[in-house]
Amino acid sequence: MKTYIGKIHLKWCKNCNIPLLGRVCEVCGSKAEEVELTPPGDPRLGFQYDIDFINKIIEEEFGAKNVLNGKIILLNKLPGNEEAYEVIVDGEVKYLIYFDENKERWKIKLKLNGARDLIEKGAYKKIIKIKNDVVEVLKNRKGSVLRPGIVEFTDDIEERDDVIIVDENNRVVGVGLATVSSEEIKNMEKGRVVKVRFFIKDDEENYEIRKVYDSLEEAFDLMVKANKGVIDAFERNALGFIKNTYERIKKPVMVAFSGGKDSLTTLILTLKALGKDIDVIFIDTGLEFEETLKNVEDVEKHYGIKIIKLKGENFWKKVKEYGIPARDYRWCSEICKLEPLKRFIEENYEDDVLAFVGVRKYESFNRATKKRVHRNTYIKKQINALPIFHWSTLHVWIYLLREKAPYNKLYEKGFDRIGCFMCPAMEMGEMDKIKREFPELWEKWERVLREYAEKHNLGEEWIKKGLWRWRHKL
Ligand SMILES: [Zn+2]
């Protein structure tokens, strides 16, 4: 499956400390170095919000401040049920953040160079100092740190915390998971204290301090310059594809704009290729964020176009009739999203309509198997064409930054998927974010859940643990 999607080759200029899409940095001429990522690996660009968010987790856990400031970070979502991201900084994965569903908060796992940065920036918490002769024993292999090998430890370690292991000269030698708390270590004479995840080797990769920018904007500007040729080529390809497809099919053209980055990119490209004589459609599901509705207006103004707004059946009324939507019961997307578009197309186009859509193959396996031009299975008159099918998330962001495009402000609040504010496909970490950032919206949804839970005797767990996301069989 992985080979079908194709591995994304993320690269980095270690000199300018910015991500690259091509083989060389177009600013300094340095050769691009490959970044090792967990596949499929389509990382998103971190904004200041993400940097502040991770800085805060780091500071709470280890005491080091502002570790990521002035650097470009990318976040690579890992496959799996738990929401977890690799944090790419300085051209390598230095941390992993994940939402701990039991503790109901975000936690961090360290890699060696990440731990070195933290010590560099004054980390003073969750540190275990071990004897130098124990370092020699653990070198080149993973194992455990046992109680007798410990010289000193900080008093803030909880069981299952990530800890930094240093030698007697305060050099980082390892990172791992504490199996006991500081309190317990005090009372132990033998036994395991840390399960080591990474430990230094003899042939150790070098650690260097990388460039820091005065602001993230400055770093973004340089990233745009350093990738100019690659982005030009991708744009040329997309414009050619749009023109050729239109010439071949010769039908009215439509762009479905969702308020997300991919559909915005597709819209910009379609306007450049074919001009303004196209239909741009936005479907309001009734579950939209204010930011998304505002973005629709911003885009209209910025490009001097009129966007046709369609409204689906009212979700809040329909939920009383159909019940709570679930992963295995997604009536909402059909009723609130697909139906209004289908109706619009039936009523407004005599026969086929050519729709340019912002689908990218890296989004999922399901999408990777699509043809670049194909007939929509649900709306038969709609022929889909995918101009940015081969773009990665980073291509999209560099393009939008270069175009100074009015993208949705939700991206600057840590969102990587723009859609309904509530969806059964959401993970616990995403819901936690919405509770934090949009408490009144979430409360509106919880009222619906509570009413349903009371009626069917489902209890608080069903709401709080997100069990409503699977269909409740009556
Ligand atoms: Zn460079």
Side-chain angles (χ1 to χ4, degrees):
M1 266 166 62
K2 276 168 199 157
T3 52
Y4 205 178
I5 298 184
K7 194 181 166 211
I8 288 188
H9 289 275
L10 175 65
K11 297 180 203 75
W12 210 271
C13 174
K14 295 274 174 91
N15 181 40
C16 302
N17 202 9
I18 47 172
L20 294 177
L21 302 165
R23 290 199 194 93
V24 287
C25 173
E26 293 176 53
V27 168
C28 75
S30 299
K31 191 170 168 283
E33 291 182 48
E34 193 94 13
V35 181
E36 295 278 341
L37 286 182
T38 299
D42 184 24
R44 74 179 168 91
L45 187 63
F47 287 90
Q48 193 59 44
Y49 174 99
D50 302 290
I51 290 175
D52 293 341
F53 182 69
I54 300 166
N55 275 345
K56 198 168 141 249
I57 303 174
I58 290 175
E59 188 178 344
E60 277 170 11
E61 296 277 320
F62 300 99
K65 284 193 205 313
N66 301 325
V67 172
L68 301 175
N69 281 12
K71 289 180 176 182
I72 291 184
I73 68 161
L74 301 178
L75 296 160
N76 183 33
K77 192 172 190 312
L78 296 178
N81 292 328
E82 202 174 49
E83 206 186 359
Y85 295 89
E86 288 177 332
V87 181
I88 301 142
V89 56
D90 299 333
E92 62 181 303
V93 175
K94 284 193 168 173
Y95 313 98
L96 194 145
I97 56 165
Y98 65 101
F99 188 73
D100 187 325
E101 295 196 1
N102 293 317
K103 295 191 174 171
E104 285 182 38
R105 65 186 173 104
W106 286 86
K107 297 271 287 171
I108 192 159
K109 287 182 185 169
L110 303 173
K111 291 229 176 182
L112 282 174
N113 282 345
R116 290 182 175 118
D117 280 357
L118 301 193
I119 293 291
E120 231 8 87
K121 291 272 187 181
Y124 61 90
K125 289 155 87 173
K126 304 196 200 281
I127 301 171
I128 291 187
K129 185 182 285 189
I130 63 174
K131 292 174 183 163
N132 286 351
D133 53 355
V134 175
V135 173
E136 290 310 312
V137 175
L138 290 173
K139 221 178 202 178
N140 300 318
R141 63 187 192 95
K142 290 181 205 169
S144 296
V145 172
L146 306 176
R147 180 62 183 96
I150 296 175
V151 184
E152 267 183 90
F153 57 94
T154 54
D155 64 0
D156 44 30
I157 299 163
E158 287 173 39
E159 192 186 326
R160 299 194 60 75
D161 270 348
D162 242 50
V163 291
I164 304 173
I165 308 164
V166 297
D167 65 9
E168 290 174 70
N169 315 314
N170 290 319
R171 233 166 40 100
V172 172
V173 290
V175 290
L177 197 72
T179 54
V180 288
S181 67
S182 298
E183 211 46 52
E184 288 165 283
I185 304 173
K186 271 181 207 156
N187 303 317
M188 287 165 73
E189 277 174 20
K190 53 180 190 172
R192 184 165 80 169
V193 174
V194 184
K195 189 170 179 285
V196 173
R197 189 174 325 109
F198 297 105
F199 210 84
I200 55 165
K201 296 178 182 133
D202 279 324
D203 58 340
E204 226 216 310
E205 68 282 24
N206 46 357
Y207 171 66
E208 278 176 57
I209 308 273
R210 303 275 169 211
K211 185 173 174 138
V212 178
Y213 288 87
D214 290 335
S215 68
L216 194 59
E217 289 70 41
E218 194 190 332
F220 280 177
D221 282 348
L222 208 77
M223 174 174 71
V224 169
K225 289 193 186 99
N227 289 288
K228 188 182 177 298
V230 175
I231 291 297
D232 282 345
F234 270 70
E235 183 186 51
R236 249 189 335 266
N237 172 289
L239 294 177
F241 169 79
I242 294 169
K243 284 180 194 152
N244 291 339
T245 308
Y246 175 70
E247 285 306 319
R248 193 158 57 83
I249 294 178
K250 281 265 184 242
K251 295 288 173 194
V253 170
M254 172 189 111
V255 174
F257 177 67
S258 69
K261 66 181 193 322
D262 296 335
S263 67
L264 176 57
T265 304
T266 304
L267 174 60
I268 296 169
L269 291 164
T270 311
L271 288 170
K272 279 194 188 190
L274 304 177
K276 293 182 186 176
D277 191 20
I278 57 172
D279 290 335
V280 185
I281 291 159
F282 172 76
I283 305 156
D284 182 348
T285 57
L287 293 167
E288 306 297 333
F289 288 99
E290 285 290 318
E291 282 81 351
T292 301
L293 300 175
K294 172 79 172 45
N295 185 241
V296 174
E297 284 176 27
D298 290 347
V299 168
E300 283 186 317
K301 254 183 243 149
H302 192 95
Y303 297 102
I305 54 169
K306 189 88 201 105
I307 296 180
I308 302 158
K309 291 143 203 134
L310 306 179
K311 247 187 185 327
E313 292 281 351
N314 189 306
F315 174 83
W316 302 97
K317 218 162 70 193
K318 287 286 163 188
V319 75
K320 294 206 164 79
E321 187 180 324
Y322 288 96
I324 307 298
R327 288 180 185 201
D328 46 354
Y329 181 44
R330 291 179 71 162
W331 59 264
C332 46
S333 91
E334 192 171 318
I335 302 286
C336 301
K337 204 160 191 169
L338 292 171
E339 257 326 303
L341 183 62
K342 190 176 184 177
R343 213 177 318 125
F344 177 85
I345 288 175
E346 292 297 336
E347 287 166 9
N348 288 277
Y349 304 109
E350 218 167 293
D351 63 328
D352 290 345
V353 57
L354 174 59
F356 289 103
V357 183
V359 164
R360 297 181 303 106
K361 65 177 174 180
Y362 297 111
E363 286 175 276
S364 70
F365 173 66
N366 212 355
R367 300 202 154 172
T369 57
K370 284 205 188 319
K371 287 209 172 72
R372 213 172 166 193
V373 181
H374 63 264
R375 198 169 280 277
N376 189 311
T377 45
Y378 186 81
I379 305 170
K380 297 286 180 220
K381 280 161 80 174
Q382 182 180 333
I383 299 165
N384 289 336
L386 318 176
I388 61 165
F389 192 54
H390 302 291
W391 296 35
S392 72
T393 298
L394 194 57
H395 285 88
V396 169
W397 275 119
I398 296 176
Y399 187 66
L400 291 179
L401 290 170
R402 181 181 101 173
E403 292 292 308
K404 301 200 183 337
Y407 58 79
N408 196 322
K409 292 296 166 206
L410 282 173
Y411 288 112
E412 293 180 357
K413 290 190 174 180
F415 287 79
D416 56 354
R417 194 170 60 182
I418 304 287
C420 304
F421 79 80
M422 179 290 295
C423 175
M426 274 177 172
E427 281 154 30
M428 292 301 280
E430 284 179 276
M431 291 196 280
D432 176 71
K433 193 155 54 199
I434 293 177
K435 276 182 224 174
R436 252 185 298 120
E437 296 290 330
F438 301 96
E440 65 300 328
L441 277 184
W442 196 256
E443 185 45 41
K444 187 177 179 187
W445 175 234
E446 273 207 2
R447 271 201 298 276
V448 174
L449 288 176
R450 221 170 288 131
E451 201 176 296
Y452 188 89
E454 271 164 30
K455 206 161 129 195
H456 298 95
N457 265 325
L458 291 165
E460 199 63 10
E461 283 265 293
W462 181 78
I463 301 172
K464 294 287 180 216
K465 295 273 175 200
L467 301 178
W468 60 267
R469 292 172 297 165
W470 289 270
R471 191 173 187 179
H472 163 239
K473 302 280 187 318
L474 291 170

